[in-house]
Amino acid sequence: MGVVTLTIDNKEVKAKEEMTVLEAAQSAGIDIPTLCHHEKLEPYTACRLCMVEVESRGRVKLDTACSSPVKENMVVRTKTEDIIKIRRTLLELMLSHAPDSRELQALVKEYGADKDRFEKEASFCIHCGLCVRYCAEVKKKSAVGFINSGVRREISFVPEIASKECWNCKECFELCPTEALQTAYLFTVAQISDSPSFELESEK
Amino acid sequence: MAQIKSPEELEKVRQGILSGRDPSKPSISVCAGSACLASGAAEVIAAFKAEIKKQGLEADVDTKGAGCPGFCERGPVVVIYPEEICYLQVKPEDVSEIVSSTIKEKKVIDRLLYVDPSTGEKAVHEYDIPFYKKQMRLVIGDNIKIDPKSIDDYLAVGGYSALGKVIRSMTPDQVIEEVSKSNLRGRSGSGFPAGFKWESCRKSEGEPKYIICNCHEGDPGAFADRRLLEATPHTVLEGMIIGCYAIGAAEGYIFVGDEFPQTVENARLAIKQAEEYGFLGKNILGSDFDLTIKVYIDGGGYVLGESSSLMASMEGKIGEPRTKYDHATDRGLWAKPTVLNNLQTWVNVPLIINQGADSFSKIGTEESTGTRVFSLTGKVNNIGMVEVPMGMTFREIVFDIGGGIRGNKKFKALQAGGPMGGFIPENLLDLQVDYEEMKKAGLAMGPGLIVADENTCIVDMVKYYLTFLANESCGKCTPCRDGLRHMLKIMNRITEGRGQKGDLELLEILSEVQKSAALCALGQGASDPLRASLKHFRDEYEAHIEEKRCPAGVCKVLSTALNI
Ligand SMILES: Cc1cc2nc3c(=O)[nH]c(=O)nc-3n(C[C@H](O)[C@H](O)[C@H](O)COP(=O)(O)O)c2cc1C
Ligand code: SF4
């Protein structure tokens, strides 16, 4: 297996060639914030918090560290002024959904984010998709999914699957950086127990 | 029709069709494009057929529903051959007079002619009408002569001769070289050199290879791509077939929405006819080149026009964009080498092969060659589909071809490039249709041009685009989804008279972060109209915020905004 050498924040880092920039940085003790990333899941590149500046073969661009493959002689900068500004604004946008999320709070100070910058939103969900992807990719159940698109996108349990699968799993609960998932789950349970088919289902 | 087995036989078939047609025989072409059909073209065609039967002229006069010539504003459009007399806004009641006077007695009916609103002059022929005069109609010029449902009509105007030439005398490499030399660039607005894309795909090792014609065109107000496919489906097919030959692809797809059933119907019929004639299928024109082309009905949604979500949706996955590190020409559809080009890119291919790259590249500017078909709409006199040489200024398009602003109002701005485009204010109207020039001005060369007059509120128009994108974005990534959400909230506030100090700065920060941090080009371009409007029309925003006043008188306190 090949090894490549790259520079991350002026530090020379050796990485396996199949690694991502995020993995290479982590192996060298360089911290890049993430939210939608999870080792067991495919890179999703949706929260955009892990954006870094990547310079390779003379081209400089911003890219998500969680997906960007390492390359020989690549130069990575994880905390430029632009990146700090991007992360601050992204955090502020997410804080409008989940002002008391611990994961977000942990980053607020470092990036100087103002949790009241944007008007608060009715939905707690920050759409990291951890629950949706964990259930689909690891548990292969797809009991929870996204519904609608654009600004109307929300998570939702599929009652038919959730009623059978979730009660003794709930592994996704601890992945959720906000309270959205539990809320959605309780809502589904309430819905299921309201429906006539629930009784039939439980009498079986 | 038996399959045509060689390029030589194709020419014989063509001669056969032409010899059965008398160019001096009177013939009536009625535009049967979607816009003309909506204004009653089908009834006009039926009336002509009935009238000709009534007058016993069936053997002497041909009648056909033809492809859209572009002057949608004045439809139904009727052209009488061989004199090429052009009548506009024809109604079924006019038909018997046209047959009696114009067809039988060769008399022109004045009241159905085009009248120049500024000079009062009448135009008898299509080519005398100012709307057409300044256009260069290399791609759409024959539309009115062709019934899109008739492959013989296409053959009669020289159709599939480029394919014949390619099969007879060109290797795939020579085709690619010709396309590269022509400097044909991506008509989606990308400006990416088509020849380079084709060559990368040809050289890529994976098999099989695919090509896709992107006719998604989800931009609100744009209709050029779909109208072209509807009017001249065989030109699209011929371009795609030549492309597949050059690239070494065995399958092609036309990716199109079914909001316009006519477009899909014509495309499907054209494929069937091309199969029957041996332009598709096995051993095309007797060569060892096999190809199938299929229509793929997209599920709607603006973002599906984007390359990675388009391919994902064709693979049956969720149609949302993905971060990719491979070029589609190496790993595209089903992870196989794929060329995705815009419909208008494909349409130019037969022209390039027929004319030769040298002659094609003389049209337009140094770096932007050929012509461009736009749909021109909004507060302009002549709404329709227009084809102009690259290098023409937008002033010429709006005032000479478009005939200026409706109701003698003042011009305010031209919106170009759709929801990810920008605005051209009066003082920049001399900007040329040219990839580089437009890019410098922060504009994309999308298919739609929308004219705004003094009664259009730019703030409201930008809000409309943001609302559109807030719904059409897939909602996957934070800067696009939540950026749009909060931009829209601020815009709603401003247009409802609740704008605050600092709102414009906040919009600017959001748009900046969105541009550099969004996952796909939708989010990256989503605030381009906003940014352009803040640059050119900041005073309108300030009037809304500081004076609580909408200068164009559009924004009412109770606006019908998307409330989120
Ligand atoms: C949100 C979005 C929508 C798009 N819609 C279209 C479309 O409707 N038609 C199109 O040809 N290209 C569209 N594109 C561009 C395509 O991704 C792709 O670049 C193009 O089809 C390539 O064709 P070309 O090289 O011939 O221009 C879109 C891109 C984005 C980001
Ligand atoms: S930029 Fe918008 S459309 Fe593109 S992936 Fe992100 S949310 Fe989806």
Side-chain angles (χ1 to χ4, degrees):
Chain A
M1 224 167 279
V3 169
V4 300
T5 309
L6 66 160
T7 313
I8 307 180
D9 292 343
N10 296 321
K11 186 168 169 184
E12 195 182 287
V13 177
K14 291 211 184 305
K16 291 192 205 126
E17 66 181 357
E18 71 278 5
M19 275 185 169
T20 62
V21 168
L22 178 67
E23 288 162 341
Q26 284 169 341
S27 74
I30 297 167
D31 187 42
I32 299 174
T34 60
L35 259 179
C36 70
H37 175 73
H38 189 287
E39 289 93 45
K40 285 189 186 159
L41 306 176
E42 291 292 313
Y44 187 53
T45 70
C47 75
R48 317 300 289 170
L49 264 192
C50 71
M51 287 204 101
V52 293
E53 191 181 283
V54 181
E55 186 178 337
S56 181
R57 288 198 235 134
R59 281 190 59 211
V60 182
K61 62 169 188 177
L62 292 176
D63 199 2
T64 37
C66 70
S67 61
S68 182
V70 292
K71 296 233 171 66
E72 184 66 32
N73 294 330
M74 185 182 241
V75 179
V76 180
R77 297 172 201 95
T78 72
K79 265 193 189 154
T80 66
E81 226 173 273
D82 282 347
I83 289 168
I84 290 174
K85 189 157 131 199
I86 288 171
R87 289 192 191 141
R88 182 191 306 135
T89 308
L90 292 175
L91 284 169
E92 288 170 343
L93 286 170
M94 292 190 262
L95 284 162
S96 75
H97 291 285
D100 49 9
S101 149
R102 257 189 272 155
E103 277 87 341
L104 295 177
Q105 285 299 336
L107 296 165
V108 161
K109 209 159 146 219
E110 182 175 357
Y111 291 98
D114 172 3
K115 75 172 174 18
D116 299 321
R117 177 66 161 266
F118 297 106
E119 198 179 309
K120 296 285 175 294
E121 286 302 318
S123 161
F124 298 137
C125 183
I126 56 167
H127 307 86
C128 64
L130 283 170
C131 54
V132 173
R133 292 176 295 131
Y134 187 85
C135 190
E137 291 177 34
V138 177
K139 306 300 290 185
K140 312 250 184 268
K141 300 290 186 213
S142 297
V144 57
F146 280 119
I147 50 166
N148 293 335
S149 60
V151 293
R152 296 204 171 82
R153 179 184 272 230
E154 292 295 345
I155 51 162
S156 177
F157 281 88
V158 183
E160 290 79 0
I161 307 176
S163 59
K164 294 193 183 65
E165 307 289 348
C166 299
W167 64 276
N168 68 349
C169 171
K170 295 188 184 141
E171 285 170 33
C172 62
F173 276 34
E174 57 198 75
L175 303 178
C176 180
T178 76
E179 290 152 14
L181 184 67
Q182 298 213 25
T183 314
Y185 182 71
L186 291 177
F187 184 67
T188 313
V189 171
Q191 249 183 336
I192 297 171
S193 32
D194 261 357
S195 80
S197 65
F198 173 73
E199 286 166 29
L200 294 178
E201 206 55 67
S202 46
E203 277 161 19
K204 271 182 204 165
Chain B
M1 174 76 201
Q3 289 202 348
I4 301 174
K5 293 273 167 23
S6 69
E8 292 70 30
E9 198 186 324
L10 165 62
E11 289 317 309
K12 279 198 205 117
V13 170
R14 191 191 316 284
Q15 287 317 316
I17 294 169
L18 287 172
S19 64
R21 294 184 175 198
D22 173 6
S24 62
K25 182 179 175 187
S27 115
I28 303 164
S29 275
V30 185
C31 169
S34 296
C36 280
L37 286 175
S39 49
E43 291 74 23
V44 173
I45 298 171
F48 269 117
K49 291 207 165 134
E51 186 63 29
I52 283 171
K53 195 167 172 196
K54 199 170 120 197
Q55 301 207 19
L57 294 170
E58 279 158 303
D60 309 315
V61 183
D62 291 332
T63 311
K64 74 169 78 162
C68 171
F71 206 3
C72 309
E73 173 71 23
R74 303 296 176 93
V77 177
V78 173
V79 180
I80 317 267
Y81 292 93
E83 297 84 2
E84 296 191 39
I85 297 165
C86 178
Y87 291 146
L88 302 170
Q89 289 172 318
V90 176
K91 295 188 190 61
E93 304 88 272
D94 302 320
V95 162
S96 86
E97 190 185 349
I98 296 177
V99 175
S100 313
S101 311
T102 310
I103 300 281
K104 278 184 153 168
E105 297 171 28
K106 305 284 169 205
K107 276 200 267 187
V108 173
I109 305 170
D110 262 19
R111 86 186 135 79
L112 295 174
L113 295 177
Y114 175 81
V115 187
D116 192 318
S118 47
T119 61
E121 255 175 67
K122 293 201 162 95
V124 175
H125 305 110
E126 208 185 30
Y127 49 79
D128 296 327
I129 300 175
F131 173 74
Y132 291 118
K133 244 189 210 165
K134 270 219 165 173
Q135 294 190 44
M136 184 183 257
R137 304 199 301 147
L138 303 180
V139 170
I140 64 176
D142 281 333
N143 287 4
I144 193 69
K145 294 185 198 147
I146 304 175
D147 174 356
K149 294 191 164 55
S150 160
I151 189 169
D152 283 2
D153 274 11
Y154 184 61
L155 290 171
V157 297
Y160 289 107
S161 57
L163 177 63
K165 180 174 172 184
V166 162
I167 299 280
R168 191 175 57 240
S169 61
M170 292 173 86
T171 63
D173 284 327
Q174 285 170 327
V175 176
I176 291 183
E177 202 184 310
E178 201 67 12
V179 172
S180 298
K181 234 169 58 185
S182 76
N183 201 7
L184 173 66
R185 296 172 63 180
R187 295 295 196 252
S188 68
S190 68
F192 195 85
F196 185 81
K197 208 187 255 187
W198 291 19
E199 190 172 357
S200 316
C201 188
R202 177 167 180 79
K203 284 190 179 149
S204 177
E205 281 179 0
E207 289 288 343
K209 298 181 163 77
Y210 300 108
I211 67 151
I212 306 168
C213 165
N214 194 345
C215 186
H216 179 65
E217 203 179 32
D219 315 35
F223 52 81
D225 292 1
R226 271 170 298 184
R227 193 65 50 82
L228 262 175
L229 177 58
E230 174 190 292
T232 179
H234 283 290
T235 319
V236 180
L237 286 184
E238 190 178 2
M240 291 175 71
I241 299 168
I242 294 170
C244 285
Y245 174 83
I247 292 157
E251 253 174 71
Y253 294 91
I254 301 176
F255 189 82
V256 61
D258 61 357
E259 311 92 282
F260 292 91
Q262 195 69 38
T263 307
V264 174
E265 189 184 316
N266 290 2
R268 286 209 167 118
L269 180 65
I271 291 174
K272 199 164 147 265
Q273 293 170 338
E275 284 166 352
E276 280 166 17
Y277 277 57
F279 303 134
L280 281 173
K282 289 219 171 307
N283 302 104
I284 293 170
L285 293 183
S287 67
D288 55 8
F289 163 47
D290 306 338
L291 172 65
T292 50
I293 290 184
K294 293 185 188 134
V295 171
Y296 184 93
I297 303 292
D298 67 44
Y302 182 62
V303 75
L304 283 186
E306 189 272 343
S307 155
S308 69
S309 54
L310 180 152
M311 291 181 201
S313 87
M314 285 185 70
E315 292 167 6
K317 299 185 191 137
I318 296 171
E320 59 187 32
R322 286 164 175 74
T323 303
K324 287 201 165 175
Y325 295 93
D326 297 312
H327 293 294
T329 47
D330 287 323
R331 286 171 63 85
L333 188 62
W334 293 299
K336 299 294 179 194
T338 305
V339 166
L340 171 69
N341 273 130
N342 174 251
L343 178 124
Q344 289 196 36
T345 316
W346 293 113
V347 152
N348 275 289
V349 172
L351 192 70
I352 291 168
I353 298 296
N354 279 328
Q355 287 200 341
D358 290 334
S359 133
F360 183 89
S361 59
K362 284 202 187 82
I363 306 163
T365 63
E366 183 110 355
E367 291 301 328
S368 303
T369 56
T371 60
R372 168 64 161 157
V373 181
F374 287 112
S375 50
L376 181 65
T377 54
K379 305 294 176 59
V380 63
N381 274 315
N382 303 331
I383 286 176
M385 180 167 75
V386 306
E387 181 178 355
V388 299
M390 299 276 189
M392 182 176 268
T393 68
F394 286 100
R395 192 181 299 281
E396 290 170 287
I397 297 178
V398 173
F399 287 95
D400 299 345
I401 296 173
I405 311 306
R406 215 165 260 245
N408 287 322
K409 293 267 165 52
K410 243 176 84 190
F411 171 89
K412 184 182 271 183
L414 181 63
Q415 206 285 335
M420 302 181 303
F423 292 94
I424 307 176
E426 162 74 36
N427 63 345
L428 292 179
L429 261 185
D430 290 314
L431 187 80
Q432 293 182 340
V433 179
D434 178 287
Y435 291 105
E436 273 68 33
E437 292 292 308
M438 291 180 74
K439 200 168 170 190
K440 263 191 261 166
L443 295 162
M445 206 194 282
L449 297 176
I450 303 175
V451 177
D453 70 5
E454 57 189 314
N455 290 3
T456 314
C457 171
I458 295 291
V459 184
D460 180 66
M461 199 166 170
V462 170
K463 188 174 83 175
Y464 168 77
Y465 281 121
L466 290 172
T467 309
F468 174 81
L469 289 174
N471 285 315
E472 295 296 323
S473 135
C474 77
K476 178 174 176 175
C477 72
T478 315
C480 176
R481 180 195 59 247
D482 282 321
L484 280 167
R485 185 197 308 279
H486 286 284
M487 282 182 204
L488 200 48
K489 284 194 161 188
I490 299 170
M491 294 295 281
N492 280 343
R493 221 160 57 203
I494 294 176
T495 51
E496 287 164 11
R498 296 182 288 113
Q500 304 161 4
K501 206 165 172 284
D503 276 352
L504 298 187
E505 291 69 23
L506 203 50
L507 283 173
E508 271 162 345
I509 292 176
L510 278 173
S511 82
E512 211 179 297
V513 168
Q514 192 176 60
K515 183 152 201 80
S516 42
L519 193 165
C520 85
L522 185 147
Q524 289 156 13
S527 44
D528 285 359
L530 170 69
R531 210 191 315 263
S533 65
L534 281 170
K535 184 166 161 200
H536 301 301
F537 300 99
R538 205 177 182 93
D539 53 337
E540 285 200 26
Y541 283 87
E542 285 162 357
H544 281 79
I545 297 173
E546 285 155 29
E547 301 163 35
K548 311 288 177 220
R549 181 175 67 84
C550 172
V554 172
C555 301
K556 307 276 179 308
V557 174
L558 287 173
S559 88
T560 49
L562 171 73
N563 281 316
I564 52 167

